[in-house]
PDB file of all heavy atoms in Angstrom:
ATOM      1  N   ASP A   1       1.652   9.826   4.039  1.00 80.00           N
ATOM      2  CA  ASP A   1       2.946  10.341   3.578  1.00 80.00           C
ATOM      3  C   ASP A   1       3.778  10.912   4.718  1.00 80.00           C
ATOM      4  O   ASP A   1       4.994  10.974   4.629  1.00 80.00           O
ATOM      5  CB  ASP A   1       2.743  11.403   2.510  1.00 80.00           C
ATOM      6  CG  ASP A   1       2.233  10.813   1.202  1.00 80.00           C
ATOM      7  OD1 ASP A   1       2.376   9.581   1.011  1.00 80.00           O
ATOM      8  OD2 ASP A   1       1.693  11.575   0.383  1.00 80.00           O
ATOM      9  N   ALA A   2       3.129  11.330   5.793  1.00 76.00           N
ATOM     10  CA  ALA A   2       3.848  11.883   6.940  1.00 76.00           C
ATOM     11  C   ALA A   2       4.387  10.795   7.864  1.00 76.00           C
ATOM     12  O   ALA A   2       5.087  11.094   8.822  1.00 76.00           O
ATOM     13  CB  ALA A   2       2.927  12.808   7.727  1.00 76.00           C
ATOM     14  N   GLY A   3       4.081   9.531   7.585  1.00 69.00           N
ATOM     15  CA  GLY A   3       4.537   8.416   8.422  1.00 69.00           C
ATOM     16  C   GLY A   3       6.035   8.220   8.360  1.00 69.00           C
ATOM     17  O   GLY A   3       6.740   8.796   7.530  1.00 69.00           O
ATOM     18  N   LYS A   4       6.539   7.388   9.266  1.00 70.00           N
ATOM     19  CA  LYS A   4       7.977   7.156   9.381  1.00 70.00           C
ATOM     20  C   LYS A   4       8.526   6.279   8.256  1.00 70.00           C
ATOM     21  O   LYS A   4       9.607   6.513   7.750  1.00 70.00           O
ATOM     22  CB  LYS A   4       8.298   6.501  10.723  1.00 70.00           C
ATOM     23  CG  LYS A   4       7.995   7.362  11.916  1.00 70.00           C
ATOM     24  CD  LYS A   4       8.295   6.611  13.194  1.00 70.00           C
ATOM     25  CE  LYS A   4       7.919   7.430  14.401  1.00 70.00           C
ATOM     26  NZ  LYS A   4       8.122   6.699  15.644  1.00 70.00           N
ATOM     27  N   GLN A   5       7.794   5.246   7.911  1.00 72.00           N
ATOM     28  CA  GLN A   5       8.308   4.274   6.948  1.00 72.00           C
ATOM     29  C   GLN A   5       7.775   4.568   5.555  1.00 72.00           C
ATOM     30  O   GLN A   5       6.625   4.956   5.381  1.00 72.00           O
ATOM     31  CB  GLN A   5       7.904   2.859   7.363  1.00 72.00           C
ATOM     32  CG  GLN A   5       8.579   1.788   6.552  1.00 72.00           C
ATOM     33  CD  GLN A   5       8.286   0.398   7.101  1.00 72.00           C
ATOM     34  OE1 GLN A   5       7.578   0.250   8.072  1.00 72.00           O
ATOM     35  NE2 GLN A   5       8.838  -0.606   6.465  1.00 72.00           N
ATOM     36  N   LYS A   6       8.626   4.377   4.552  1.00 80.00           N
ATOM     37  CA  LYS A   6       8.208   4.583   3.174  1.00 80.00           C
ATOM     38  C   LYS A   6       7.188   3.527   2.773  1.00 80.00           C
ATOM     39  O   LYS A   6       7.238   2.402   3.232  1.00 80.00           O
ATOM     40  CB  LYS A   6       9.396   4.521   2.227  1.00 80.00           C
ATOM     41  CG  LYS A   6      10.305   5.688   2.354  1.00 80.00           C
ATOM     42  CD  LYS A   6      11.320   5.701   1.236  1.00 80.00           C
ATOM     43  CE  LYS A   6      12.080   6.990   1.283  1.00 80.00           C
ATOM     44  NZ  LYS A   6      12.602   7.378   0.018  1.00 80.00           N
ATOM     45  N   HIS A   7       6.279   3.935   1.913  1.00 83.00           N
ATOM     46  CA  HIS A   7       5.261   3.023   1.424  1.00 83.00           C
ATOM     47  C   HIS A   7       5.044   3.279  -0.061  1.00 83.00           C
ATOM     48  O   HIS A   7       5.503   4.278  -0.608  1.00 83.00           O
ATOM     49  CB  HIS A   7       3.944   3.210   2.183  1.00 83.00           C
ATOM     50  CG  HIS A   7       3.331   4.553   1.959  1.00 83.00           C
ATOM     51  ND1 HIS A   7       3.721   5.651   2.663  1.00 83.00           N
ATOM     52  CD2 HIS A   7       2.393   4.974   1.084  1.00 83.00           C
ATOM     53  CE1 HIS A   7       3.037   6.693   2.246  1.00 83.00           C
ATOM     54  NE2 HIS A   7       2.219   6.319   1.279  1.00 83.00           N
ATOM     55  N   ARG A   8       4.329   2.380  -0.659  1.00 88.00           N
ATOM     56  CA  ARG A   8       3.967   2.530  -2.068  1.00 88.00           C
ATOM     57  C   ARG A   8       2.451   2.642  -2.132  1.00 88.00           C
ATOM     58  O   ARG A   8       1.744   1.894  -1.468  1.00 88.00           O
ATOM     59  CB  ARG A   8       4.446   1.320  -2.846  1.00 88.00           C
ATOM     60  CG  ARG A   8       4.124   1.394  -4.308  1.00 88.00           C
ATOM     61  CD  ARG A   8       4.689   0.202  -5.032  1.00 88.00           C
ATOM     62  NE  ARG A   8       4.315   0.294  -6.438  1.00 88.00           N
ATOM     63  CZ  ARG A   8       4.331  -0.720  -7.269  1.00 88.00           C
ATOM     64  NH1 ARG A   8       4.732  -1.896  -6.848  1.00 88.00           N
ATOM     65  NH2 ARG A   8       3.977  -0.562  -8.509  1.00 88.00           N
ATOM     66  N   LEU A   9       1.973   3.572  -2.925  1.00 88.00           N
ATOM     67  CA  LEU A   9       0.543   3.764  -3.092  1.00 88.00           C
ATOM     68  C   LEU A   9       0.130   3.284  -4.470  1.00 88.00           C
ATOM     69  O   LEU A   9       0.660   3.735  -5.481  1.00 88.00           O
ATOM     70  CB  LEU A   9       0.171   5.241  -2.916  1.00 88.00           C
ATOM     71  CG  LEU A   9      -1.289   5.611  -3.175  1.00 88.00           C
ATOM     72  CD1 LEU A   9      -2.201   4.880  -2.204  1.00 88.00           C
ATOM     73  CD2 LEU A   9      -1.475   7.107  -3.060  1.00 88.00           C
ATOM     74  N   VAL A  10      -0.807   2.342  -4.506  1.00 90.00           N
ATOM     75  CA  VAL A  10      -1.348   1.825  -5.757  1.00 90.00           C
ATOM     76  C   VAL A  10      -2.841   2.113  -5.755  1.00 90.00           C
ATOM     77  O   VAL A  10      -3.543   1.753  -4.817  1.00 90.00           O
ATOM     78  CB  VAL A  10      -1.098   0.302  -5.890  1.00 90.00           C
ATOM     79  CG1 VAL A  10      -1.729  -0.228  -7.156  1.00 90.00           C
ATOM     80  CG2 VAL A  10       0.384   0.006  -5.863  1.00 90.00           C
ATOM     81  N   VAL A  11      -3.299   2.770  -6.807  1.00 89.00           N
ATOM     82  CA  VAL A  11      -4.714   3.119  -6.917  1.00 89.00           C
ATOM     83  C   VAL A  11      -5.311   2.331  -8.075  1.00 89.00           C
ATOM     84  O   VAL A  11      -4.810   2.378  -9.194  1.00 89.00           O
ATOM     85  CB  VAL A  11      -4.902   4.626  -7.160  1.00 89.00           C
ATOM     86  CG1 VAL A  11      -6.377   4.970  -7.254  1.00 89.00           C
ATOM     87  CG2 VAL A  11      -4.205   5.437  -6.080  1.00 89.00           C
ATOM     88  N   TYR A  12      -6.384   1.609  -7.788  1.00 89.00           N
ATOM     89  CA  TYR A  12      -7.094   0.855  -8.818  1.00 89.00           C
ATOM     90  C   TYR A  12      -8.581   1.040  -8.581  1.00 89.00           C
ATOM     91  O   TYR A  12      -9.103   0.637  -7.536  1.00 89.00           O
ATOM     92  CB  TYR A  12      -6.720  -0.626  -8.767  1.00 89.00           C
ATOM     93  CG  TYR A  12      -7.419  -1.457  -9.810  1.00 89.00           C
ATOM     94  CD1 TYR A  12      -7.076  -1.343 -11.151  1.00 89.00           C
ATOM     95  CD2 TYR A  12      -8.434  -2.327  -9.465  1.00 89.00           C
ATOM     96  CE1 TYR A  12      -7.722  -2.090 -12.115  1.00 89.00           C
ATOM     97  CE2 TYR A  12      -9.087  -3.089 -10.416  1.00 89.00           C
ATOM     98  CZ  TYR A  12      -8.723  -2.958 -11.748  1.00 89.00           C
ATOM     99  OH  TYR A  12      -9.376  -3.698 -12.702  1.00 89.00           O
ATOM    100  N   GLU A  13      -9.234   1.676  -9.537  1.00 86.00           N
ATOM    101  CA  GLU A  13     -10.643   2.024  -9.436  1.00 86.00           C
ATOM    102  C   GLU A  13     -10.864   2.824  -8.159  1.00 86.00           C
ATOM    103  O   GLU A  13     -10.307   3.891  -8.010  1.00 86.00           O
ATOM    104  CB  GLU A  13     -11.525   0.784  -9.548  1.00 86.00           C
ATOM    105  CG  GLU A  13     -11.449   0.134 -10.910  1.00 86.00           C
ATOM    106  CD  GLU A  13     -12.312  -1.107 -11.040  1.00 86.00           C
ATOM    107  OE1 GLU A  13     -12.943  -1.527 -10.044  1.00 86.00           O
ATOM    108  OE2 GLU A  13     -12.360  -1.647 -12.157  1.00 86.00           O
ATOM    109  N   ASN A  14     -11.639   2.336  -7.222  1.00 88.00           N
ATOM    110  CA  ASN A  14     -11.911   3.081  -5.988  1.00 88.00           C
ATOM    111  C   ASN A  14     -11.128   2.566  -4.790  1.00 88.00           C
ATOM    112  O   ASN A  14     -11.446   2.907  -3.661  1.00 88.00           O
ATOM    113  CB  ASN A  14     -13.413   3.028  -5.662  1.00 88.00           C
ATOM    114  CG  ASN A  14     -14.239   3.801  -6.655  1.00 88.00           C
ATOM    115  OD1 ASN A  14     -13.756   4.756  -7.245  1.00 88.00           O
ATOM    116  ND2 ASN A  14     -15.471   3.381  -6.857  1.00 88.00           N
ATOM    117  N   LYS A  15     -10.130   1.742  -5.031  1.00 92.00           N
ATOM    118  CA  LYS A  15      -9.346   1.177  -3.929  1.00 92.00           C
ATOM    119  C   LYS A  15      -7.947   1.772  -3.922  1.00 92.00           C
ATOM    120  O   LYS A  15      -7.278   1.844  -4.940  1.00 92.00           O
ATOM    121  CB  LYS A  15      -9.267  -0.339  -4.042  1.00 92.00           C
ATOM    122  CG  LYS A  15     -10.590  -1.020  -3.801  1.00 92.00           C
ATOM    123  CD  LYS A  15     -10.396  -2.505  -3.622  1.00 92.00           C
ATOM    124  CE  LYS A  15     -11.712  -3.203  -3.505  1.00 92.00           C
ATOM    125  NZ  LYS A  15     -12.206  -3.278  -2.167  1.00 92.00           N
ATOM    126  N   TYR A  16      -7.524   2.175  -2.746  1.00 93.00           N
ATOM    127  CA  TYR A  16      -6.185   2.709  -2.529  1.00 93.00           C
ATOM    128  C   TYR A  16      -5.431   1.697  -1.680  1.00 93.00           C
ATOM    129  O   TYR A  16      -5.867   1.353  -0.583  1.00 93.00           O
ATOM    130  CB  TYR A  16      -6.246   4.052  -1.797  1.00 93.00           C
ATOM    131  CG  TYR A  16      -6.822   5.165  -2.636  1.00 93.00           C
ATOM    132  CD1 TYR A  16      -8.187   5.249  -2.883  1.00 93.00           C
ATOM    133  CD2 TYR A  16      -5.989   6.133  -3.178  1.00 93.00           C
ATOM    134  CE1 TYR A  16      -8.718   6.270  -3.650  1.00 93.00           C
ATOM    135  CE2 TYR A  16      -6.514   7.163  -3.949  1.00 93.00           C
ATOM    136  CZ  TYR A  16      -7.868   7.226  -4.175  1.00 93.00           C
ATOM    137  OH  TYR A  16      -8.389   8.235  -4.943  1.00 93.00           O
ATOM    138  N   ARG A  17      -4.298   1.229  -2.204  1.00 93.00           N
ATOM    139  CA  ARG A  17      -3.480   0.253  -1.477  1.00 93.00           C
ATOM    140  C   ARG A  17      -2.206   0.936  -1.000  1.00 93.00           C
ATOM    141  O   ARG A  17      -1.392   1.364  -1.799  1.00 93.00           O
ATOM    142  CB  ARG A  17      -3.113  -0.927  -2.367  1.00 93.00           C
ATOM    143  CG  ARG A  17      -4.275  -1.761  -2.778  1.00 93.00           C
ATOM    144  CD  ARG A  17      -3.822  -2.869  -3.733  1.00 93.00           C
ATOM    145  NE  ARG A  17      -4.809  -3.913  -3.817  1.00 93.00           N
ATOM    146  CZ  ARG A  17      -4.852  -4.973  -3.015  1.00 93.00           C
ATOM    147  NH1 ARG A  17      -3.943  -5.133  -2.100  1.00 93.00           N
ATOM    148  NH2 ARG A  17      -5.805  -5.857  -3.144  1.00 93.00           N
ATOM    149  N   PHE A  18      -2.045   1.017   0.307  1.00 92.00           N
ATOM    150  CA  PHE A  18      -0.830   1.546   0.919  1.00 92.00           C
ATOM    151  C   PHE A  18       0.011   0.335   1.292  1.00 92.00           C
ATOM    152  O   PHE A  18      -0.320  -0.400   2.224  1.00 92.00           O
ATOM    153  CB  PHE A  18      -1.166   2.385   2.147  1.00 92.00           C
ATOM    154  CG  PHE A  18      -2.001   3.593   1.826  1.00 92.00           C
ATOM    155  CD1 PHE A  18      -3.385   3.515   1.766  1.00 92.00           C
ATOM    156  CD2 PHE A  18      -1.385   4.801   1.564  1.00 92.00           C
ATOM    157  CE1 PHE A  18      -4.149   4.617   1.470  1.00 92.00           C
ATOM    158  CE2 PHE A  18      -2.144   5.924   1.263  1.00 92.00           C
ATOM    159  CZ  PHE A  18      -3.528   5.831   1.211  1.00 92.00           C
ATOM    160  N   ILE A  19       1.095   0.116   0.552  1.00 92.00           N
ATOM    161  CA  ILE A  19       1.889  -1.104   0.692  1.00 92.00           C
ATOM    162  C   ILE A  19       3.178  -0.792   1.444  1.00 92.00           C
ATOM    163  O   ILE A  19       3.954   0.077   1.038  1.00 92.00           O
ATOM    164  CB  ILE A  19       2.212  -1.710  -0.688  1.00 92.00           C
ATOM    165  CG1 ILE A  19       0.918  -1.978  -1.459  1.00 92.00           C
ATOM    166  CG2 ILE A  19       3.022  -2.991  -0.528  1.00 92.00           C
ATOM    167  CD1 ILE A  19       1.145  -2.373  -2.904  1.00 92.00           C
ATOM    168  N   TYR A  20       3.407  -1.521   2.516  1.00 91.00           N
ATOM    169  CA  TYR A  20       4.638  -1.420   3.306  1.00 91.00           C
ATOM    170  C   TYR A  20       5.429  -2.705   3.112  1.00 91.00           C
ATOM    171  O   TYR A  20       4.894  -3.797   3.257  1.00 91.00           O
ATOM    172  CB  TYR A  20       4.313  -1.220   4.792  1.00 91.00           C
ATOM    173  CG  TYR A  20       3.682   0.124   5.067  1.00 91.00           C
ATOM    174  CD1 TYR A  20       2.304   0.286   5.009  1.00 91.00           C
ATOM    175  CD2 TYR A  20       4.460   1.225   5.366  1.00 91.00           C
ATOM    176  CE1 TYR A  20       1.724   1.513   5.245  1.00 91.00           C
ATOM    177  CE2 TYR A  20       3.889   2.457   5.605  1.00 91.00           C
ATOM    178  CZ  TYR A  20       2.525   2.596   5.542  1.00 91.00           C
ATOM    179  OH  TYR A  20       1.951   3.821   5.777  1.00 91.00           O
ATOM    180  N   TYR A  21       6.704  -2.554   2.820  1.00 91.00           N
ATOM    181  CA  TYR A  21       7.546  -3.710   2.519  1.00 91.00           C
ATOM    182  C   TYR A  21       8.355  -4.136   3.732  1.00 91.00           C
ATOM    183  O   TYR A  21       8.947  -3.314   4.421  1.00 91.00           O
ATOM    184  CB  TYR A  21       8.506  -3.392   1.369  1.00 91.00           C
ATOM    185  CG  TYR A  21       7.792  -3.173   0.067  1.00 91.00           C
ATOM    186  CD1 TYR A  21       7.507  -1.896  -0.390  1.00 91.00           C
ATOM    187  CD2 TYR A  21       7.381  -4.248  -0.700  1.00 91.00           C
ATOM    188  CE1 TYR A  21       6.835  -1.693  -1.576  1.00 91.00           C
ATOM    189  CE2 TYR A  21       6.710  -4.061  -1.891  1.00 91.00           C
ATOM    190  CZ  TYR A  21       6.442  -2.776  -2.322  1.00 91.00           C
ATOM    191  OH  TYR A  21       5.764  -2.589  -3.493  1.00 91.00           O
ATOM    192  N   GLY A  22       8.373  -5.446   3.956  1.00 90.00           N
ATOM    193  CA  GLY A  22       9.227  -6.034   4.971  1.00 90.00           C
ATOM    194  C   GLY A  22      10.442  -6.639   4.281  1.00 90.00           C
ATOM    195  O   GLY A  22      10.980  -6.081   3.335  1.00 90.00           O
ATOM    196  N   ALA A  23      10.852  -7.809   4.748  1.00 87.00           N
ATOM    197  CA  ALA A  23      11.964  -8.517   4.111  1.00 87.00           C
ATOM    198  C   ALA A  23      11.451  -9.146   2.816  1.00 87.00           C
ATOM    199  O   ALA A  23      10.314  -8.925   2.410  1.00 87.00           O
ATOM    200  CB  ALA A  23      12.521  -9.577   5.056  1.00 87.00           C
ATOM    201  N   ILE A  24      12.256  -9.926   2.198  1.00 85.00           N
ATOM    202  CA  ILE A  24      11.918 -10.516   0.903  1.00 85.00           C
ATOM    203  C   ILE A  24      10.612 -11.316   1.005  1.00 85.00           C
ATOM    204  O   ILE A  24      10.379 -12.034   1.972  1.00 85.00           O
ATOM    205  CB  ILE A  24      13.093 -11.383   0.393  1.00 85.00           C
ATOM    206  CG1 ILE A  24      12.885 -11.784  -1.042  1.00 85.00           C
ATOM    207  CG2 ILE A  24      13.302 -12.586   1.271  1.00 85.00           C
ATOM    208  CD1 ILE A  24      14.126 -12.340  -1.691  1.00 85.00           C
ATOM    209  N   PHE A  25       9.730 -11.140   0.041  1.00 88.00           N
ATOM    210  CA  PHE A  25       8.440 -11.828  -0.058  1.00 88.00           C
ATOM    211  C   PHE A  25       7.468 -11.480   1.068  1.00 88.00           C
ATOM    212  O   PHE A  25       6.583 -12.265   1.391  1.00 88.00           O
ATOM    213  CB  PHE A  25       8.603 -13.348  -0.119  1.00 88.00           C
ATOM    214  CG  PHE A  25       9.458 -13.820  -1.249  1.00 88.00           C
ATOM    215  CD1 PHE A  25      10.559 -14.616  -1.011  1.00 88.00           C
ATOM    216  CD2 PHE A  25       9.170 -13.466  -2.557  1.00 88.00           C
ATOM    217  CE1 PHE A  25      11.352 -15.056  -2.053  1.00 88.00           C
ATOM    218  CE2 PHE A  25       9.955 -13.905  -3.600  1.00 88.00           C
ATOM    219  CZ  PHE A  25      11.048 -14.699  -3.349  1.00 88.00           C
ATOM    220  N   HIS A  26       7.583 -10.313   1.684  1.00 92.00           N
ATOM    221  CA  HIS A  26       6.663  -9.925   2.753  1.00 92.00           C
ATOM    222  C   HIS A  26       6.203  -8.492   2.525  1.00 92.00           C
ATOM    223  O   HIS A  26       7.015  -7.591   2.398  1.00 92.00           O
ATOM    224  CB  HIS A  26       7.349 -10.032   4.119  1.00 92.00           C
ATOM    225  CG  HIS A  26       6.422  -9.728   5.253  1.00 92.00           C
ATOM    226  ND1 HIS A  26       5.722 -10.692   5.912  1.00 92.00           N
ATOM    227  CD2 HIS A  26       6.062  -8.559   5.822  1.00 92.00           C
ATOM    228  CE1 HIS A  26       4.984 -10.145   6.848  1.00 92.00           C
ATOM    229  NE2 HIS A  26       5.169  -8.837   6.812  1.00 92.00           N
ATOM    230  N   THR A  27       4.895  -8.300   2.478  1.00 92.00           N
ATOM    231  CA  THR A  27       4.320  -6.957   2.432  1.00 92.00           C
ATOM    232  C   THR A  27       3.115  -6.906   3.363  1.00 92.00           C
ATOM    233  O   THR A  27       2.445  -7.911   3.588  1.00 92.00           O
ATOM    234  CB  THR A  27       3.844  -6.559   1.010  1.00 92.00           C
ATOM    235  OG1 THR A  27       2.852  -7.478   0.573  1.00 92.00           O
ATOM    236  CG2 THR A  27       4.992  -6.520   0.033  1.00 92.00           C
ATOM    237  N   SER A  28       2.879  -5.730   3.889  1.00 93.00           N
ATOM    238  CA  SER A  28       1.673  -5.463   4.661  1.00 93.00           C
ATOM    239  C   SER A  28       0.959  -4.314   3.975  1.00 93.00           C
ATOM    240  O   SER A  28       1.583  -3.324   3.616  1.00 93.00           O
ATOM    241  CB  SER A  28       2.022  -5.084   6.092  1.00 93.00           C
ATOM    242  OG  SER A  28       2.645  -6.163   6.739  1.00 93.00           O
ATOM    243  N   GLU A  29      -0.340  -4.468   3.803  1.00 92.00           N
ATOM    244  CA  GLU A  29      -1.104  -3.466   3.066  1.00 92.00           C
ATOM    245  C   GLU A  29      -2.268  -2.962   3.901  1.00 92.00           C
ATOM    246  O   GLU A  29      -2.890  -3.717   4.633  1.00 92.00           O
ATOM    247  CB  GLU A  29      -1.674  -4.045   1.781  1.00 92.00           C
ATOM    248  CG  GLU A  29      -0.657  -4.630   0.849  1.00 92.00           C
ATOM    249  CD  GLU A  29      -1.298  -5.249  -0.380  1.00 92.00           C
ATOM    250  OE1 GLU A  29      -2.455  -4.898  -0.695  1.00 92.00           O
ATOM    251  OE2 GLU A  29      -0.652  -6.082  -1.013  1.00 92.00           O
ATOM    252  N   CYS A  30      -2.544  -1.687   3.726  1.00 92.00           N
ATOM    253  CA  CYS A  30      -3.775  -1.101   4.231  1.00 92.00           C
ATOM    254  C   CYS A  30      -4.579  -0.742   2.984  1.00 92.00           C
ATOM    255  O   CYS A  30      -4.195   0.144   2.231  1.00 92.00           O
ATOM    256  CB  CYS A  30      -3.491   0.125   5.085  1.00 92.00           C
ATOM    257  SG  CYS A  30      -4.992   0.885   5.730  1.00 92.00           S
ATOM    258  N   VAL A  31      -5.661  -1.456   2.752  1.00 93.00           N
ATOM    259  CA  VAL A  31      -6.484  -1.264   1.561  1.00 93.00           C
ATOM    260  C   VAL A  31      -7.692  -0.421   1.952  1.00 93.00           C
ATOM    261  O   VAL A  31      -8.485  -0.818   2.808  1.00 93.00           O
ATOM    262  CB  VAL A  31      -6.932  -2.613   0.960  1.00 93.00           C
ATOM    263  CG1 VAL A  31      -7.767  -2.392  -0.280  1.00 93.00           C
ATOM    264  CG2 VAL A  31      -5.724  -3.479   0.658  1.00 93.00           C
ATOM    265  N   VAL A  32      -7.808   0.746   1.310  1.00 93.00           N
ATOM    266  CA  VAL A  32      -8.884   1.685   1.621  1.00 93.00           C
ATOM    267  C   VAL A  32      -9.838   1.744   0.439  1.00 93.00           C
ATOM    268  O   VAL A  32      -9.425   2.006  -0.682  1.00 93.00           O
ATOM    269  CB  VAL A  32      -8.311   3.085   1.924  1.00 93.00           C
ATOM    270  CG1 VAL A  32      -9.430   4.056   2.238  1.00 93.00           C
ATOM    271  CG2 VAL A  32      -7.305   3.012   3.063  1.00 93.00           C
ATOM    272  N   ASP A  33     -11.107   1.509   0.716  1.00 93.00           N
ATOM    273  CA  ASP A  33     -12.143   1.565  -0.322  1.00 93.00           C
ATOM    274  C   ASP A  33     -12.836   2.920  -0.224  1.00 93.00           C
ATOM    275  O   ASP A  33     -13.179   3.370   0.874  1.00 93.00           O
ATOM    276  CB  ASP A  33     -13.143   0.430  -0.111  1.00 93.00           C
ATOM    277  CG  ASP A  33     -14.047   0.222  -1.308  1.00 93.00           C
ATOM    278  OD1 ASP A  33     -13.762   0.791  -2.377  1.00 93.00           O
ATOM    279  OD2 ASP A  33     -15.036  -0.511  -1.163  1.00 93.00           O
ATOM    280  N   THR A  34     -13.039   3.570  -1.378  1.00 92.00           N
ATOM    281  CA  THR A  34     -13.631   4.908  -1.384  1.00 92.00           C
ATOM    282  C   THR A  34     -14.818   4.982  -2.344  1.00 92.00           C
ATOM    283  O   THR A  34     -14.936   4.181  -3.267  1.00 92.00           O
ATOM    284  CB  THR A  34     -12.602   5.969  -1.818  1.00 92.00           C
ATOM    285  OG1 THR A  34     -12.180   5.687  -3.149  1.00 92.00           O
ATOM    286  CG2 THR A  34     -11.408   5.993  -0.895  1.00 92.00           C
TER     287      THR A  34
END
């Protein structure tokens, strides 16, 4: 949350997906398993 670019956090079961959006039809995700 302290990062420069806005992201979306999606939580499903034990996985946290930090989604960063680029241009149309492009996303980069950091998927964290806990």
Side-chain angles (χ1 to χ4, degrees):
D1 290 341
K4 295 178 183 177
Q5 189 173 0
K6 290 190 172 206
H7 65 277
R8 180 177 178 199
L9 175 62
V10 177
V11 181
Y12 180 71
E13 294 180 357
N14 292 332
K15 291 193 185 272
Y16 291 75
R17 294 177 162 271
F18 298 86
I19 303 171
Y20 292 89
Y21 294 98
I24 191 166
F25 303 124
H26 184 93
T27 60
S28 296
E29 303 177 20
C30 180
V31 181
V32 180
D33 193 12
T34 62

